[in-house]
């Protein structure tokens, strides 16, 4: 469902405009309700439609809580999960804690990943992209 790469500006309040091509799909699919959380392997954010997130969260919760690695994943992914909703202008407000984790500044990159989106700082995205080309 989500494909492609979009460079977007983050405004001074921490809002970003979801690309127009995704807005109608999100409205139909999940009532324009999203969940953002951190990626535990990269300095980026993962953004899921609420219905997709609920499936992921159920899988995370089913992990054995006595396993330290599973506990870490539960703590980080669910602990940082934040509900987002598109406003009338198709924007979402990212909380400061998520923006700080992913080092999001003025220019960000939204990367389609099928059932989810990734949010990267433009400079970090370019560095990781170029690193993978070697």
């Amino acid at each position: 469902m989500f494909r492609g790469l979009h460079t977007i500006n983050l405004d001074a309040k921490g809002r970003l405009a979801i690309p127009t091509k995704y807005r109608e799909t999100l409205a139909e699919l999940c009532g324009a309700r999203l969940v953002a959380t951190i990626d535990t392997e990269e300095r980026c954010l993962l953004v899921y439609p609420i219905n997709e997130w609920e499936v992921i969260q159920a899988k995370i919760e089913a992990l054995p809580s006595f396993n330290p690695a599973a506990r870490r994943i539960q703590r980080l992914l669910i602990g940082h999960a934040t509900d987002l909703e598109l406003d009338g202008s198709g924007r979402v407000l990212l909380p400061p804690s998520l923006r700080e984790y992913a080092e999001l500044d003025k220019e960000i990159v939204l990367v389609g990943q099928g059932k989810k989106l990734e949010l990267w700082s433009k400079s970090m995205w370019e560095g990781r992209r170029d690193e993978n080309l070697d």
Side-chain angles (χ1 to χ4, degrees):
M1 171 176 64
F2 300 113
R3 290 187 293 270
L5 188 81
H6 304 272
T7 302
I8 301 171
N9 288 326
L10 196 62
D11 73 13
K13 294 180 181 177
R15 295 176 300 194
L16 67 111
I18 298 294
T20 306
K21 75 180 216 173
Y22 296 147
R23 291 180 197 173
E24 188 174 315
T25 301
L26 288 169
E28 291 173 10
L29 182 67
C30 60
R33 294 175 47 226
L34 307 167
V35 173
T37 191
I38 66 171
D39 185 318
T40 60
E41 303 298 320
E42 299 281 357
R43 284 284 183 176
C44 70
L45 301 180
L46 307 175
V47 181
Y48 294 89
I50 187 76
N51 55 319
E52 292 294 335
W53 171 253
E54 288 169 348
V55 172
I56 299 294
Q57 183 169 329
K59 290 178 181 178
I60 295 168
E61 288 173 347
L63 294 172
S65 61
F66 295 109
N67 179 316
R71 237 0 243 143
R72 177 181 179 275
I73 294 295
Q74 290 168 332
R75 191 173 293 122
L76 293 174
L77 291 179
I78 297 172
H80 285 91
T82 303
D83 293 309
L84 307 175
E85 193 164 346
L86 271 73
D87 67 13
S89 300
R91 298 173 302 189
V92 294
L93 175 64
L94 295 173
S97 60
L98 292 181
R99 293 193 316 261
E100 288 170 19
Y101 175 83
E103 300 177 23
L104 300 179
D105 200 5
K106 179 85 174 135
E107 286 189 300
I108 61 175
V109 177
L110 184 70
V111 183
Q113 294 292 291
K115 293 184 178 185
K116 70 178 182 284
L117 298 158
E118 291 181 350
L119 278 175
W120 291 79
S121 75
K122 185 176 180 189
S123 60
M124 197 163 313
W125 168 257
E126 290 173 349
R128 293 297 284 151
R129 179 198 61 202
D130 295 345
E131 187 178 288
N132 292 330
L133 293 175
D134 293 336

